[in-house]
């Protein structure tokens, strides 16, 4: 349980970092980032596997690059559900999802 809470807090901080570095991604406050981390986690756990399964042929053809599109869609879906998060366009969603993925990989590597 503590590990989940730490992961949510770190993801919240990472979302705030993404909002500071990527023009087009806006987060109002830490509360919105924390709620966004929860919604993003739910989207990644429930919706992303279904979309990844359905898009498997496209993912194979693009040598896995289509997963970047799926990650960007998850970020945009999170922004649609959380009122304090705004993603203005698809390109900021792609760049934001890449940065968020790199930050999560870094923390997974450290832990």
């Amino acid at each position: 349980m503590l590990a989940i809470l730490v992961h949510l807090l770190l993801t919240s901080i990472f979302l705030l970092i993404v909002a500071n570095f990527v023009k087009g991604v806006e987060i109002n406050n830490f509360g919105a980032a924390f709620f966004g981390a929860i919604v993003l986690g739910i989207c990644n756990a429930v919706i992303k596997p279904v979309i990844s399964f359905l898009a498997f042929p496209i993912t194979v053809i693009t040598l896995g690059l289509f997963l970047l599109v799926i990650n960007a869609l998850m970020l945009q879906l999170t922004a649609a559900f959380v009122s304090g998060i705004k993603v203005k366009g698809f390109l900021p969603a792609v760049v934001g999802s890449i940065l968020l993925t790199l930050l999560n990989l870094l923390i997974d590597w450290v832990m």
Side-chain angles (χ1 to χ4, degrees), residues 6-109:
V6 169
H7 197 308
L8 282 174
L9 289 173
L10 287 174
T11 303
S12 303
I13 293 168
F14 293 160
L15 282 171
L16 291 171
I17 291 170
V18 166
N20 284 330
F21 283 107
V22 178
K23 186 176 182 179
V25 177
E26 298 175 2
I27 299 178
N28 292 343
N29 53 27
F30 185 77
F34 186 75
F35 188 59
I38 293 171
V39 172
L40 186 62
I42 292 170
C43 288
N44 284 338
V46 177
I47 299 170
K48 186 178 176 182
V50 174
I51 293 175
S52 296
F53 177 75
L54 295 174
F56 182 72
I58 297 170
T59 304
V60 170
I61 290 171
T62 61
L63 302 174
L65 290 177
F66 193 71
L67 291 173
L68 295 174
V69 173
I70 294 172
N71 285 338
L73 291 174
M74 293 302 106
L75 188 60
Q76 285 186 320
L77 187 63
T78 299
F81 282 121
V82 180
S83 62
I85 300 176
K86 294 179 185 172
V87 178
K88 298 178 180 178
F90 187 70
L91 187 61
V94 170
V95 174
S97 68
I98 290 171
L99 182 58
L100 191 61
T101 301
L102 291 174
L103 289 170
N104 275 319
L105 284 174
L106 178 69
I107 202 66
D108 287 341
W109 180 73

